[in-house]
Amino acid sequence: MLGFQVIKKENAPSRAQRLASYGDVFYQTVRPYQRNNYLFENVDKDMVFSTGYAQLRSKLDSYFLLTLVQNDNFVKVVLDNCTGTSYPAINGSELGKIIVQIPSNEAEANQIGKVFRGIDKSITLHQ
């Protein structure tokens, strides 16, 4: 579950430095196998995320990107590039080097994102 606190900028901890924009995906860089990633779809301004998350911004459908980074194959590649054993972690620059395959047609990627969004909404309704 996502939690948040309202804190004035001058009192914010140094780790709260990632200013979120609608559609950003925040990827958990420590213990990424937990898949505690988040698609930011809030229209509020000036919300920040911890630097414990890599901020991903896509030109394609954001839900497509979220689905891609939640995929078992992607997580395996991330884990192969992590350092540490008890708290495996990957830094943002190493995460950015991971090559993924996406449809060459932007409309197709956007449609795939919409399909996965619909499936997830249906699953949530049935739970």
Side-chain angles (χ1 to χ4, degrees), residues 16-98:
Q17 298 177 356
R18 307 250 187 239
L19 185 60
S21 290
Y22 186 90
D24 285 351
V25 173
F26 288 87
Y27 190 82
Q28 179 181 351
T29 56
V30 177
R31 295 192 224 170
Y33 56 83
Q34 293 177 332
R35 300 172 202 216
N36 290 325
N37 306 311
Y38 182 71
L39 173 57
F40 183 75
E41 293 184 305
N42 193 326
V43 293
D44 290 339
K45 300 289 183 208
D46 299 330
M47 293 193 78
V48 295
F49 279 72
S50 168
T51 55
Y53 287 81
Q55 187 174 13
L56 310 175
R57 190 168 291 159
S58 178
K59 294 178 183 176
L60 301 175
D61 181 271
S62 296
Y63 212 86
F64 175 84
L65 177 60
L66 177 65
T67 303
L68 182 83
V69 300
Q70 297 283 77
N71 178 285
D72 289 342
N73 292 330
F74 184 83
V75 173
K76 182 185 179 322
V77 173
V78 169
L79 289 171
D80 289 345
N81 287 281
C82 281
T83 58
T85 53
S86 296
Y87 295 95
I90 188 167
N91 64 44
S93 60
E94 289 301 312
L95 185 63
K97 293 177 186 176
I98 296 174

Side-chain angles (χ1 to χ4, degrees), residues 60 64 102-112:
L60 301 175
F64 175 84
I102 61 170
S104 59
N105 182 327
E106 184 177 331
E108 182 179 348
N110 292 338
Q111 188 61 35
I112 291 169

